[in-house]
């Protein structure tokens, strides 16, 4: 069951959310339904956008960023974010085979990206209590201590949207519909 949060627009949103809604529309070229829901709590919307901007400034490539965000969203079973980030992954040049493996919860064909997927998933599943073997495997794949913590940033940012979508029942935007995804019982 989800709460009935409005799909705000600039006319209905709380005044404090207006600058963030304008920023989101400019950044995405549209006003995503997620941002419309988040506008109910302006601080949440501002925080999510700020964390997203910071995550874009990490040492991860755009493709690696999408691997992190899709891995978190799959582990958290977020239909909205899996659909939206599948499109964003396509736009970031992530190979279809990688995106499809992420969507299906399968190992990635690229060993370095697979290490990133495994580590990100481990961080979410273990709530940060990742065992040393997982950290070592991540570092053996060529990632460093900075990137361990940058994964934490991505997990935090994406968890905000995953949980918002769970509570709000956010409908996937029309531009993302061709990449819709739905968690299956096998994902439990």
């Amino acid at each position: 069951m989800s709460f009935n949060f409005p799909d705000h627009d600039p006319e209905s949103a709380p005044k404090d959310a207006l600058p963030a809604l304008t920023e989101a529309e400019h950044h995405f070229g549209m006003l995503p339904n997620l941002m419309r829901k988040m506008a109910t709590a302006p601080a949440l919307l501002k925080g999510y956008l700020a964390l997203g901007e910071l995550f874009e400034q990490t040492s991860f490539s755009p493709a690696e960023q999408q691997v992190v965000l899709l891995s978190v969203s799959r582990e958290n079973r977020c239909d909205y974010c899996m659909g939206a980030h599948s499109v964003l992954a396509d736009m970031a040049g992530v190979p279809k085979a990688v995106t499809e493996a992420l969507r299906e919860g399968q190992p990635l064909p690229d060993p370095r990206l697979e290490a990133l997927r495994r580590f990100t998933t481990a961080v979410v599943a273990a709530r940060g209590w990742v065992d040393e073997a997982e950290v070592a495997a991540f570092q053996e794949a060529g990632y460093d201590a900075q990137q361990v913590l940058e994964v934490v940033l991505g997990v935090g940012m994406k968890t905000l949207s995953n949980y918002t979508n769970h509570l709000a029942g956010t409908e996937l935007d029309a531009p993302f519909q061709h990449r819709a995804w739905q968690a299956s019982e096998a994902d439990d």
Side-chain angles (χ1 to χ4, degrees), residues 58-66 113:
T58 64
S59 63
F60 292 126
S61 71
E64 288 172 319
Q65 291 170 22
Q66 291 305 317
L113 292 180

Side-chain angles (χ1 to χ4, degrees), residues 69-149:
L69 299 177
L70 280 163
S71 298
V72 174
S73 296
R74 188 173 202 298
E75 188 66 21
N76 284 332
R77 301 173 44 105
C78 184
D79 297 349
Y80 180 93
C81 287
M82 285 299 293
H85 281 281
S86 292
V87 172
L88 295 174
D90 294 343
M91 293 169 61
V94 177
K96 285 274 192 217
V98 170
T99 305
E100 290 310 309
L102 285 162
R103 289 167 59 93
E104 295 168 14
Q106 298 299 314
L108 304 185
D110 178 297
R112 184 170 160 87
L113 292 180
E114 172 58 10
L116 180 58
R117 181 197 71 82
R118 283 182 49 91
F119 182 72
T120 302
T121 300
V123 169
V124 176
R127 295 182 179 98
W129 296 101
V130 179
D131 67 45
E132 288 182 32
E134 289 287 350
V135 175
F138 186 60
Q139 291 178 318
E140 286 169 15
Y143 293 103
D144 60 24
Q146 174 182 333
Q147 291 164 318
V148 167
L149 296 178

Side-chain angles (χ1 to χ4, degrees), residues 6 16 18 26-27 51 55 65 67 71 76-77 88 104 110 117 121 131 158 162 168 176 186 188:
D16 288 350
L18 292 179
H26 180 263
H27 183 77
L51 288 176
F55 189 61
Q65 291 170 22
V67 168
S71 298
N76 284 332
R77 301 173 44 105
L88 295 174
E104 295 168 14
D110 178 297
R117 181 197 71 82
T121 300
D131 67 45
K158 193 49 28 200
N162 293 166
F176 305 139
D188 285 336

